[in-house]
Amino acid sequence: MLERGEPNNELLLSVRHDDVDTFQLLTADKHIDITSICVPYSIFEDYNENVAMSFLNYAAAHGSIKCFKYLLLNHATVSSASFYYAIFGGNIEIIKIVDQKLSEIENKEANSLPNNPQVNNYIFYVMSCHKNDLFEWILNQKFLFKEKLFNELVPISAASGNIYAIT
């Protein structure tokens, strides 16, 4: 486990490697309710702070689009934490799906406020990781007044060496 940097759990490995066929077989064979079971804490995860998470969020955190869609089709629910895990996973298709599901649940105006501190944390994270395509998408979709954000973005862009965000 230490050499590979992955857990020794077939179900988790199938999600991490986006192997939806193996995931389906394992959940069917072991009669696992994928909507209620949680992923156990693992030392191999950078994003999980000793918090139990759903398999949907686990798939989002690993950018596993096939497993993510399979879980959605099987009644797994999107939560507010799902957006964080989707941003961490970096799969733009998952991010858009989660954003759409959350906008159906929540008031669209509350999600799109430019001074939403949660959205600010996401944009700072993607800037420091040089995920420029996600940076552009979040900036264009979530911020109405980009000029007000400029003074906050410049120091972070400089600290992370991300000139793309400034331009």
Side-chain angles (χ1 to χ4, degrees), residues 92-104:
I92 193 72
E93 189 175 354
I94 293 175
I95 294 168
K96 288 179 181 180
I97 292 169
V98 170
D99 186 54
Q100 179 185 7
K101 295 286 184 187
L102 288 175
S103 68
E104 291 170 3

Side-chain angles (χ1 to χ4, degrees), residues 59-75:
H62 288 282
S64 303
I65 187 67
K66 291 186 267 184
C67 290
F68 184 84
K69 286 181 176 180
Y70 171 77
L71 289 161
L72 273 181
L73 289 172
N74 286 284
H75 310 292

